[in-house]
Amino acid sequence: MMERQKNYTSKDIAIFLAYAIFGIFMFFVPIELGGKSTIPIDHLTNFVKTIPNYNFIFGIFIVTAGIIYAIKTKGWQGSTLNAVFFVLKLTALVFMIMYVTKKGPEKFFEKGMLPLIWNGIMVSVTTIVPIGSVFLAFLTGFGLMEFIGVFMEPVMRPIFKTPGKSAVDAVASFVGSYSLALLITNRVYKEDYYTTKEAAIIATGFSTVSATFMVIVANTLDLMDHWLLYFWLTLFVTFLVTAITTRIFPLSKKPEVYYSGKVKTQEEKPKFSFKDAVDAGMESFKKAKPLPVVIKSNFIDGFKMALNIAPSLLGIGMIGLILAEYTPIFDIIGYIFYPFTLITRMPEPMITAKALALSIAEMLLPAPIVAGANFDIVTRMLVAVVSVSEILFFSASIPCIMGTEIPMKFSDYIIIWIERVILSILITAPILWLIF
């Protein structure tokens, strides 16, 4: 490997450190404000949402603008899948009119239906993505990911078959949100730092819901007394399942081609010294565009992503909840997982399997099914863990991935989801039986 020529000054290092520290603080350091402890980006988003009638007005704007954007960009073109999802996006108009007029089936206005999708998911995600994209510049635009990538390469490459810098995506999901992690992934993918295969692995393997959502699940299932066990077990299971799914179809067959079309070549084994990390980070820092330019570019990307996913979050999310409420489809899907809940000796194998089937519609749906004193702690803990480790669901994460440039087939989402649920059951259940 050729030695990098040192072409940076102490001032460059100071600015690099200032940007990196600020970016890490905004995304990864929980602080307590107003009695709530979360990362600064989340505090900022929550502050924006306190604007009078924000959820109502912004929700109407972003859904309407998102549909106009889909029409302007001819979102139905390219594939049958694009056409189907374009039609599903249009259904968001129906649900938006229902929400605005408060007219429609009474069941739709219950707490866990339209209000959940509108306020808890659609507005929250489409608010945090543009805001997060502004501060994302400090993480992805000035060498920090290249610096971290040198150290994490020996861990990420052999275990997950992804570059070291993908560790940033994984952490961003657990302490921030999958939407922010996907924003990072898409940005880095478009800059030719990830291949299609690597981006697909990262998007479907690391983009989990945040610890905030995990708290909601744990509270619903009365597991807060076991919070640390739940958190670390979920972290372990999620990433172990990801290590396995990278080696099986469909992720194993994804092409090693970059966004630009360039084919990945065999890389020389990199060095991992601190000097190499500094040189890699500073080399990227020196090539970076001015801060205002990077922020503007990131914000435009983030806003476009919000426009892309807003109608999907509302339309597809509500359709998933309606199917769960009024049809037996998820009961039928539950039979896929029944053999696995049965062989792992779950006390209520059929109910547990059906609950886990609901996770494809919305990750919060399985928890209420097995909540209460009627279900033992092993069942509740299993459902809590799998609800997070399965990663893919139609109310939010799948539309978010579809809003990126990462090429994925509809069948990919379904197959990977099934694989993740089955593997999560088989890994989690024996551990729980050892503990409880």
Side-chain angles (χ1 to χ4, degrees):
M1 176 184 285
M2 291 180 61
E3 289 291 326
R4 289 188 179 93
Q5 189 70 32
K6 180 178 176 180
N7 64 343
Y8 50 88
T9 64
S10 298
K11 180 182 177 182
D12 292 331
I13 293 177
I15 297 172
F16 166 81
L17 286 174
Y19 286 174
I21 291 168
F22 182 65
I24 290 169
F25 169 73
M26 291 301 294
F27 282 88
F28 300 129
V29 181
I31 57 174
E32 187 166 332
L33 288 175
K36 181 181 180 182
S37 179
T38 186
I39 58 173
I41 286 289
D42 196 33
H43 280 303
L44 186 56
T45 303
N46 290 332
F47 174 75
V48 170
K49 289 166 66 178
T50 61
I51 297 171
N53 299 313
Y54 175 81
N55 283 15
F56 185 79
I57 296 170
F58 179 75
I60 293 172
F61 163 75
I62 200 68
V63 172
T64 305
I67 290 173
I68 293 171
Y69 182 71
I71 294 171
K72 183 179 178 182
T73 56
K74 299 180 180 178
W76 61 85
Q77 294 182 342
S79 68
T80 304
L81 180 61
N82 287 346
V84 170
F85 271 85
F86 177 77
V87 173
L88 292 176
K89 280 184 177 183
L90 293 181
T91 64
L93 273 177
V94 177
F95 298 120
M96 183 180 75
I97 292 169
M98 285 185 184
Y99 186 84
V100 171
T101 63
K102 297 292 184 281
K103 291 181 180 178
E106 188 177 336
K107 189 79 175 175
F108 286 12
F109 296 94
E110 290 183 358
K111 187 178 178 181
M113 296 288 283
L114 188 51
L116 169 68
I117 295 294
W118 185 282
N119 298 305
I121 296 175
M122 190 267 291
V123 170
S124 294
V125 171
T126 54
T127 299
I128 201 172
V129 165
I131 292 174
S133 67
V134 171
F135 297 95
L136 195 62
F138 298 93
L139 284 184
T140 64
F142 298 98
L144 178 61
M145 291 190 75
E146 287 72 18
F147 175 82
I148 293 173
V150 171
F151 288 113
M152 292 304 297
E153 189 81 12
V155 176
M156 304 302 289
R157 183 65 69 184
I159 297 176
F160 302 110
K161 299 184 181 295
T162 60
K165 65 188 69 176
S166 60
V168 176
D169 298 64
V171 177
S173 288
F174 265 89
V175 303
S177 103
Y178 53 83
S179 53
L180 291 176
L182 286 169
L183 193 66
I184 295 172
T185 305
N186 192 50
R187 185 77 183 171
V188 177
Y189 172 58
K190 287 172 67 178
E191 292 173 353
D192 268 8
Y193 288 112
Y194 294 155
T195 64
T196 295
K197 181 177 182 177
E198 291 165 351
I201 289 170
I202 294 162
T204 62
F206 297 149
S207 302
T208 65
V209 296
S210 67
T212 307
F213 275 87
M214 293 174 67
V215 170
I216 296 171
V217 173
N219 273 317
T220 304
L221 293 171
D222 195 23
L223 294 172
M224 286 308 291
D225 287 345
H226 304 279
W227 168 250
L228 287 179
L229 169 64
Y230 171 49
F231 180 86
W232 291 110
L233 179 59
T234 303
L235 191 74
F236 170 75
V237 171
T238 300
F239 292 150
L240 179 55
V241 168
T242 297
I244 297 171
T245 55
T246 61
R247 291 163 169 81
I248 57 180
F249 181 84
L251 289 175
S252 64
K253 299 299 181 182
K254 291 293 177 187
E256 290 280 26
V257 178
Y258 291 98
Y259 179 74
S260 64
K262 182 177 65 177
V263 178
K264 182 179 181 181
T265 55
Q266 188 68 32
E267 296 176 335
E268 186 179 352
K269 191 173 181 180
K271 297 178 182 179
F272 303 113
S273 70
F274 181 77
K275 181 181 181 301
D276 289 312
V278 172
D279 286 348
M282 293 310 301
E283 183 179 307
S284 179
F285 174 84
K286 293 294 287 184
K287 291 178 180 177
K289 295 176 181 177
L291 179 61
V293 175
V294 177
I295 287 177
K296 179 183 176 182
S297 175
N298 275 22
F299 177 76
I300 290 172
D301 278 356
F303 188 70
K304 284 181 179 178
M305 185 176 178
L307 290 176
N308 228 338
I309 63 180
S312 298
L313 293 174
L314 180 59
I316 298 171
M318 267 305 292
I319 289 170
L321 293 181
I322 291 167
L323 289 174
E325 185 69 30
Y326 294 108
T327 74
I329 185 169
F330 293 108
D331 291 346
I332 295 168
I333 294 172
Y335 283 102
I336 297 173
F337 309 122
Y338 176 64
F340 303 98
T341 55
L342 186 65
I343 64 173
T344 52
R345 295 173 41 234
M346 287 296 109
E348 298 283 355
M350 193 67 244
I351 294 176
T352 304
K354 289 181 178 181
L356 295 177
L358 287 167
S359 66
I360 189 68
E362 159 58 45
M363 63 81 55
L364 293 172
L365 291 181
I369 305 297
V370 297
N374 293 334
F375 294 92
D376 68 297
I377 189 168
V378 172
T379 300
R380 288 182 281 123
M381 186 69 82
L382 177 80
V383 169
V385 171
V386 179
S387 293
V388 176
S389 63
E390 56 89 19
I391 289 182
L392 300 171
F393 50 97
F394 280 111
S395 71
S397 65
I398 292 175
C400 281
I401 298 173
M402 293 187 69
T404 69
E405 303 287 336
I406 303 166
M408 297 277 290
K409 298 177 182 176
F410 182 79
S411 58
D412 292 339
Y413 297 117
I414 302 301
I415 293 168
I416 295 168
W417 171 71
I418 292 172
E419 290 172 349
R420 294 194 69 90
V421 172
I422 291 173
L423 288 168
S424 296
I425 295 169
L426 295 177
I427 293 168
T428 307
I431 296 173
L432 293 176
W433 283 122
L434 284 173
I435 295 172
F436 297 105

